[in-house]
Structure formats: structure tokens, C-alpha cells
Amino acid sequence: QKEVEQDPGPLSVPEGAIVSLNCTYSNSAFQYFMWYRQYSRKGPELLMYTYSSGNKEDGRFTAQVDKSSKYISLFIRDSQPSDSATYLCAMSANTGRRALTFGSGTRLQVQP
Amino acid sequence: NAGVTQTPKFRVLKTGQSMTLLCAQDMNHEYMYWYRQDPGMGLRLIHYSVGEGTTAKGEVPDGYNVSRLKKQNFLLGLESAAPSQTSVYFCASSSTGASEKLFFGSGTQLSVL
């Protein structure tokens, strides 16, 4: 079983829709939770960063972490064609030495 | 405003050949990482470095070697390439480790025939 599970999609929505992307994880030591966005043939770029449980909002994007359920979500409001990309969740148990553990990514297509 | 630069962008190897992938960052970051990305597998850590002269194994280190002789450079070597190493390779760097933002290069597409 993978430490981080993510539905690969693809997920296709019309422009303006609300998008929900999710990941589950098994390691209760994870404290840092991130969402990376990856456009085709590009490297991932950080989109959202959350420490421990709770919500964080940045413009049209909201990240939620529920540590009791080991479940994280990314919501995109008023989705745009430019949001079409692969979204990778990532998490880390501590600061410093260890690198991130990534989900396999969900491919999102926003239809104009 | 280069950030993280990877060379080459594309490469085709025959089984048994060797090659080195170069990663250079101009942000004075301490931490550098090599990941591979395969369909359905996400990003998997190969090796990483927490500073000049230091390296450590990640999740899938077999068949790869790395060196960090200079702080700004992190090299990934394949001594005897195998078809299973066909993948997209990404280098990343960060200032203080896994809790901080990773900056990624644009990737190297490697095919081993």
C-alpha cells in the first residue's frame, strides 16, 4: 500500500465549476501538506502549503487538512481553462533532512 | 532569473551505456533532490543532498549515483543504463528541507532502449 493515495483522474469539468481534489495518507507523522501544480512537460510548482490541520485560502484555491481522517483536499472555485494541469499532493513528517512524499497526481481538464 | 536548470532536456541511451544528468541552482539552496516521475507512480525520490559534499539515498536509489562537489550543482549518474530507468527525471532544491517550498527544474526525458 502506498503511503499517499491520490485518484489519477482524469477529471474533466466545465469552466466555472468548483473542483475538489483529494488525497489520503497512512503515515500519522505527516505534519506538512502541500499541493503542487504541474503543467504538461514542466516541473511541478508549489500551489498551496498547510501545516497540521485546518484550512488555508489563497484566491480561488482552498486547501483543507483533516489529520484525524488522514485526508487532505484542494478546492478550486470558478475553475478556468488555465487550471488544466496535473495536481500533486505532497507531505512531510518533519523539517530538515527528509524529502517530500508525493501522491501520483490527478489530471484536471477544464473545458471552456 | 534561472532558478533550477537541468541538462540535457532529452536523451536516448542504449542498454548498458552510461550518462550524467546535471542540475544547477542559483538560489544558494542547501538541499537538492533527484526525483523520477513515471505514469501512475508520482514523483519518487532517488537521492538527495543536505549540503555540499553530502548525499543520501532516497526511495529508489538502485542503479544511480550522485555527487555534490559544489553547493550549486547536483549530478545524477547512471553507470549502466537499463530500460527500467526510462523516465522523466526532475531535480529540485530548497533552502531548509522538506517543510519548505521545493523549486523544480523542467525535467529530463530519458529513454533507454
Side-chain angles (χ1 to χ4, degrees), chain A residues 46-100:
Chain A
L46 182 66
L47 188 62
M48 297 288 284
Y49 174 101
T50 309
Y51 170 71
S52 193
S53 288
N55 294 0
K56 185 173 183 179
E57 187 173 324
D58 184 2
R60 297 184 294 111
F61 300 90
T62 300
Q64 287 186 352
V65 175
D66 182 349
K67 292 187 70 178
S68 62
S69 301
K70 297 188 179 64
Y71 188 87
I72 70 170
S73 301
L74 177 70
F75 297 95
I76 307 174
R77 292 183 299 278
D78 187 25
S79 56
Q80 302 295 310
S82 59
D83 295 327
S84 298
T86 296
Y87 291 80
L88 300 151
C89 62
M91 42 200 85
S92 171
N94 53 27
T95 59
R97 297 162 297 166
R98 286 297 306 278
L100 294 172

Side-chain angles (χ1 to χ4, degrees), chain A residues 97-99, chain B residues 32-34 44-50 54-66 74:
Chain A
R97 297 162 297 166
R98 286 297 306 278
Chain B
M32 296 188 74
Y33 309 86
W34 276 107
R44 292 183 292 169
L45 182 66
I46 304 171
H47 286 279
Y48 65 101
S49 169
V50 301
T54 70
T55 63
K57 293 180 180 180
E59 183 185 354
V60 288
D62 294 342
Y64 305 95
N65 56 76
V66 288
F74 196 28

Side-chain angles (χ1 to χ4, degrees), chain B residues 41-91:
Chain B
M41 301 294 292
L43 286 159
R44 292 183 292 169
L45 182 66
I46 304 171
H47 286 279
Y48 65 101
S49 169
V50 301
E52 181 179 317
T54 70
T55 63
K57 293 180 180 180
E59 183 185 354
V60 288
D62 294 342
Y64 305 95
N65 56 76
V66 288
S67 64
R68 183 101 181 265
L69 298 179
K70 292 183 179 181
K71 186 177 182 178
Q72 64 268 33
N73 295 336
F74 196 28
L75 278 63
L76 178 70
L78 286 74
E79 291 187 348
S80 179
S84 60
Q85 294 177 305
T86 293
S87 187
V88 181
Y89 292 85
F90 286 100
C91 176

